[in-house]
Amino acid sequence: EVSIEANPTGITDKHFEMWKRLGINRISFGVQILDDNVNASLNRPQAASEVERIVNRAANYFNSISVDLILGLPGVDDGMWEKTLERVVAWPVQHVSVYLLTIYEHTQLFHDIKAGRVKYPESDRLAVCYEDTVSFLALHGFAQYEISNFAKSGFDSLHNKAYWKRVPYKGFGISAASFDGIFRFINEKKLNLYLSGVKSGMRSFYETGGAFCERLTQNQENTEIAMLALRMVNGITITNLQKMFIKNDVQMWVKELKDAGFIKGIAQNRVCLTPQGMLVQDEIVSRIL
């Protein structure tokens, strides 16, 4: 699987032809929401009609197409979100990612929400919308395999799964991340420093440990394994949890979460989150600590 991410504006058949010649066989479009006014407010000048045209053109070159949507954008009501989903599932796409909006500090949206100029959706409404989205996508052939990811049969993203299963990978280029199973590396983020490093003979910042390098402690590694596994619909075995968190009462933790409706019925010794549980996955992981 060789995937490329693209904004669905200004793309021509020449781009598709070039990417295909390079060996790219999967394309992911950042759609976010199919409403021109909302996208304009996010400084994304893309018309819904143009996005639809580009996706349909891409189907002439790729049989593995994904679209990214963002749930919780200010100004998006339930009807607008439902119309976006209805249009997307009618497109020639095989994969849909639905991400909950993340508000980063020091961004314009952060300041607008803090000042009351923009209203962020209430958590209860988002929870219901997320659960409805999971059900709607399943009804149209997109099975959930991770908190934010849904795919038709045989189209789960291989590189996404690699990240969640902590499979080693190498990243090349400015700001790229790598993981060798023990250490994590991030290449230089400043263009001038990266270029000077390349010119001085470094073939790859990965070979020198990158601009940033960390090794997780055993406890950090256990926490990460649990967190990533619980993002997947297959979850994690109770046996593995007990091995990693031997000092904690895992059985009691599992029972509490099951009683709260966050865990599905225990089957084959596995802990799997319900849609409600996936919405508070970070809090659930922190409970076991």
Side-chain angles (χ1 to χ4, degrees), residues 193-229:
L193 293 179
Y194 182 85
L195 290 177
S196 64
V198 173
K199 290 176 181 178
S200 66
M202 291 184 200
R203 287 184 299 155
S204 166
F205 273 69
Y206 176 85
E207 296 168 358
T208 64
F212 170 81
C213 175
E214 74 168 349
R215 179 175 184 171
L216 301 182
T217 65
Q218 187 61 59
N219 189 54
Q220 288 174 323
E221 185 175 328
N222 289 343
T223 301
E224 184 174 275
I225 290 171
M227 178 206 44
L228 293 173

Side-chain angles (χ1 to χ4, degrees), residues 73-257:
L73 289 170
V76 176
D77 58 27
D78 293 347
M80 190 185 300
W81 180 253
E82 289 170 7
K83 288 180 181 178
T84 293
L85 290 177
E86 288 170 356
R87 289 181 69 177
V88 164
V89 297
W91 291 350
V93 302
Q94 294 74 35
H95 188 282
V96 178
S97 296
V98 179
Y99 299 107
L100 290 174
L101 177 65
T102 301
I103 310 297
Y104 293 102
E105 287 191 48
H106 310 304
T107 61
Q108 186 60 50
L109 183 57
F110 171 82
H111 293 302
D112 286 344
I113 291 176
K114 192 173 182 179
R117 293 187 292 269
V118 172
K119 186 177 180 181
Y120 186 70
E122 295 179 358
S123 57
D124 287 347
R125 179 186 155 225
L126 277 180
V128 171
C129 192
Y130 174 80
E131 292 173 36
D132 289 346
T133 298
V134 173
S135 299
F136 180 86
L137 289 174
L139 190 63
H140 290 81
F142 294 86
Q144 185 178 29
Y145 66 96
E146 190 267 347
I147 287 178
S148 302
N149 288 273
F150 308 78
K152 292 185 176 179
S153 180
F155 287 94
D156 293 5
S157 172
L158 300 183
H159 70 269
N160 282 353
K161 282 187 169 181
Y163 298 148
W164 299 317
K165 293 181 179 179
R166 302 180 84 250
V167 174
Y169 56 87
K170 287 187 180 183
F172 300 93
I174 187 169
S175 194
S178 301
F179 177 59
D180 66 2
I182 300 175
F183 292 95
R184 275 205 173 78
F185 312 90
I186 299 178
N187 288 357
E188 177 58 59
K189 296 183 178 182
K190 294 183 178 179
L191 181 59
N192 60 330
L193 293 179
Y194 182 85
L195 290 177
S196 64
V198 173
K199 290 176 181 178
S200 66
M202 291 184 200
R203 287 184 299 155
S204 166
F205 273 69
Y206 176 85
E207 296 168 358
T208 64
F212 170 81
C213 175
E214 74 168 349
R215 179 175 184 171
L216 301 182
T217 65
Q218 187 61 59
N219 189 54
Q220 288 174 323
E221 185 175 328
N222 289 343
T223 301
E224 184 174 275
I225 290 171
M227 178 206 44
L228 293 173
L230 286 171
R231 290 187 65 89
M232 306 285 284
V233 294
N234 292 331
I236 189 170
T237 66
I238 296 176
T239 302
N240 281 342
L241 284 174
Q242 289 174 325
K243 286 180 181 177
M244 293 189 295
F245 303 100
I246 193 168
K247 295 180 181 178
N248 298 15
D249 191 340
V250 172
Q251 291 286 358
M252 177 65 74
W253 172 79
V254 170
K255 183 180 184 304
E256 288 178 358
L257 291 172

